[in-house]
Amino acid sequence: MKIYKTKNYEEMSKKAAQIMAAQVTLKPDCVLGLATGSTPVGAYGHLIQWCKDGLLDFSQVKTVNLDEYKGLTPDNDQSYRYFMNKNLFSGINISMENTHVPNGAETDSQKACSQYNAIIAGMGGIDLQLLGIGHDGHIGFNEPGDSFELETHCVDLTPLTIEANKRFFEKAEDVPRQAYTMGIRNIMLARKILFVISGEDKAEILKKSVEGPVTPQVPASVLQLHPDVMLVADEAALSLMKL
Ligand code: F6R
């Protein structure tokens, strides 16, 4: 794991965006695995700006997002599809048909998940997967205890994740109870992983994930076994690590 230590969130965002931009420049028809949540928003902002400045071209890029709430349609402003359109896709010159998010409107979980696995396989896998981390160590919506073997599947969200995500909804009861997520297997098959983390509140789980034992109880710990992980984290997030 290559660790980039940055001063703060802004520097973390710029570094992460530079790594993503390098991927797009080196392989203009690359497949980017993308994430939602607050952490990547700053990096997406840089990508939008560089694209507007003519420094980056997304016209051949394909994307595949980690996850989506089951039951939310793309026009729902809490859906991850809506988030991606708003925070990245609408600001760059990507073809919308090249962007993929699990189909939250599909009620048949098996169908939604197998279709998504087929999409990823059809694109030849993921060149660079962007990941954030939850306070319980989840990546995508792979919660503690989920098998490392799984591909895209339907999960029941844990109370901790519902609690953490309720900030985006009017009230906790509005947070969907299930989601479709790429599995750890899909993530581990990505050729490169860009892991972004900011803030003191993530310091303990980051330490556990990077310095603790590899265990499904800490889903992100599996990244210790991936051959090409770039961790971009700010000082606050790295504050408990030995380095
Ligand atoms: C989002 C995702 C989640 C988030 C994680 C951290 O697509 O897969 O695993 O990366 O919950 O979220 P933030 O960045 O909001 O702290």
Side-chain angles (χ1 to χ4, degrees):
M1 186 175 293
K2 191 165 167 58
I3 301 177
Y4 297 90
K5 182 177 183 173
T6 67
K7 263 200 184 53
N8 49 33
Y9 176 81
E10 286 69 35
E11 231 183 80
M12 179 210 74
S13 299
K14 188 162 185 192
K15 185 73 207 169
Q18 283 168 333
I19 291 170
M20 295 176 78
Q23 174 66 67
V24 171
T25 303
L26 285 170
K27 188 178 175 192
D29 60 348
C30 66
V31 177
L32 295 179
L34 299 176
T36 58
S38 354
T39 314
V41 171
Y44 291 160
H46 285 291
L47 296 178
I48 290 171
Q49 191 54 51
W50 296 337
C51 186
K52 288 206 159 88
D53 293 344
L55 301 169
L56 265 182
D57 176 15
F58 285 87
S59 61
Q60 297 176 67
V61 171
K62 298 187 240 12
T63 68
V64 54
N65 259 78
L66 283 167
D67 41 20
E68 177 61 285
Y69 289 115
K70 181 176 175 182
L72 298 194
T73 50
D75 58 335
N76 186 312
D77 61 5
Q78 301 302 340
S79 74
Y80 284 177
R81 161 54 80 179
Y82 190 96
F83 175 100
M84 289 309 300
N85 290 352
K86 178 169 161 230
N87 289 289
L88 182 63
F89 301 148
S90 61
I92 58 176
N93 67 331
I94 197 160
S95 302
M96 285 304 270
E97 66 266 24
N98 284 344
T99 69
H100 306 278
V101 178
N103 183 3
E106 175 58 70
T107 50
D108 180 340
S109 300
Q110 221 180 336
K111 193 166 158 198
C113 296
S114 59
Q115 275 175 350
Y116 208 60
N117 288 329
I119 288 172
I120 299 170
M123 295 190 301
I126 300 164
D127 289 300
L128 177 67
Q129 176 65 54
L130 177 65
L131 290 180
I133 188 173
H135 292 104
D136 59 0
H138 71 235
I139 47 178
F141 271 126
N142 294 278
E143 301 280 11
D146 280 0
S147 161
F148 286 163
E149 308 282 308
L150 290 171
E151 295 195 300
T152 309
H153 59 291
C154 181
V155 287
D156 295 327
L157 304 187
T158 63
L160 192 65
T161 299
I162 292 169
E163 182 61 26
N165 290 7
K166 77 167 191 218
R167 67 192 196 272
F168 301 112
F169 293 80
E170 253 173 47
K171 41 191 191 315
E173 300 83 75
D174 294 343
V175 185
R177 282 356 194 205
Q178 286 190 310
Y180 296 134
T181 183
M182 272 191 214
I184 296 288
R185 189 175 155 75
N186 302 104
I187 294 171
M188 289 296 280
L189 285 172
R191 288 180 269 284
K192 289 194 282 280
I193 290 180
L194 172 57
F195 192 22
V196 287
I197 309 182
S198 168
E200 205 184 334
D201 57 313
K202 298 272 177 80
E204 202 175 320
I205 192 63
L206 176 57
K207 183 183 167 64
K208 267 195 200 165
S209 304
V210 176
E211 292 178 350
V214 175
T215 163
Q217 293 314 320
V218 182
S221 66
V222 76
L223 300 176
Q224 293 179 38
L225 303 177
H226 191 283
D228 197 349
V229 178
M230 292 161 281
L231 166 64
V232 184
D234 61 16
E235 280 170 7
L238 289 169
S239 57
L240 297 178
M241 278 186 38
K242 290 196 196 85
L243 292 180

